[in-house]
Amino acid sequence: MPIQDWQALTRLAGGTPFLIERVRLTAQDMTNVTIEDQFELPPMARLPAEDQIFVAAFVRCHSSIKQMEKFFGVSYPTIKNRLNRIGALLPFAEVEPAPDAEPASTGELLSRLERGEITVKDVLDQLQQPKEGA
């Protein structure tokens, strides 16, 4: 059976969510290894093929909208609108602060609360944590 391109799978699915249930490893020393379970695709892989290519081009252009304008032959607002549309389809990447990072100040916590980034419980939990050296 010939190997299909990943875009063939996304076309066949037609935008319908799907799970991968079987994976066969192709490294020469692992050709007999098959993994069966239910695997959900990561958010980037769930984007339509055209959007995946657009994101890859954006990364290759070092996030330069000016280079993207030249590459795709469209205006700044067109690039910006497409990035905004694609960004709305992806979850926000939460990054945990480094364990040795300075604790946030009360002002920082209140600003984050005001922006809806954290909850009141999060603020109270962080304020009640013992300070180092105290």
Side-chain angles (χ1 to χ4, degrees), residues 48 73 82 111:
R82 187 160 182 192
S111 293

Side-chain angles (χ1 to χ4, degrees), residues 7-103:
Q7 292 176 351
L9 180 59
T10 56
R11 278 193 298 276
L12 287 169
T16 303
F18 61 90
L19 296 172
I20 304 295
E21 293 187 339
R22 180 183 234 181
V23 175
R24 191 175 85 226
L25 303 181
T26 59
Q28 213 168 20
D29 59 336
M30 301 182 124
T31 56
N32 292 326
V33 177
T34 300
I35 303 167
E36 292 190 21
D37 203 342
Q38 291 189 343
F39 301 96
E40 188 174 336
L41 292 173
M44 287 283 289
R46 288 185 232 140
L47 292 174
E50 311 81 52
D51 288 344
Q52 290 181 30
I53 292 166
F54 189 83
V55 171
F58 188 65
V59 171
R60 291 295 306 251
C61 289
H62 304 283
S63 306
S64 168
I65 293 179
K66 196 166 233 17
Q67 285 184 356
M68 292 290 285
E69 288 178 83
K70 291 177 187 171
F71 186 73
F72 286 99
V74 294
S75 68
Y76 178 95
T78 302
I79 298 292
K80 195 75 172 148
N81 287 336
R82 187 160 182 192
L83 287 170
N84 288 336
R85 182 183 57 74
I86 293 170
L89 298 173
L90 299 171
F92 185 74
E94 292 292 332
V95 178
E96 291 293 321
D100 59 346
E102 288 289 319

Side-chain angles (χ1 to χ4, degrees), residues 121-131:
K121 182 182 180 323
D122 294 331
V123 172
L124 293 174
D125 289 346
Q126 289 188 37
L127 289 174
Q128 291 173 353
Q129 288 178 357
K131 304 261 189 263

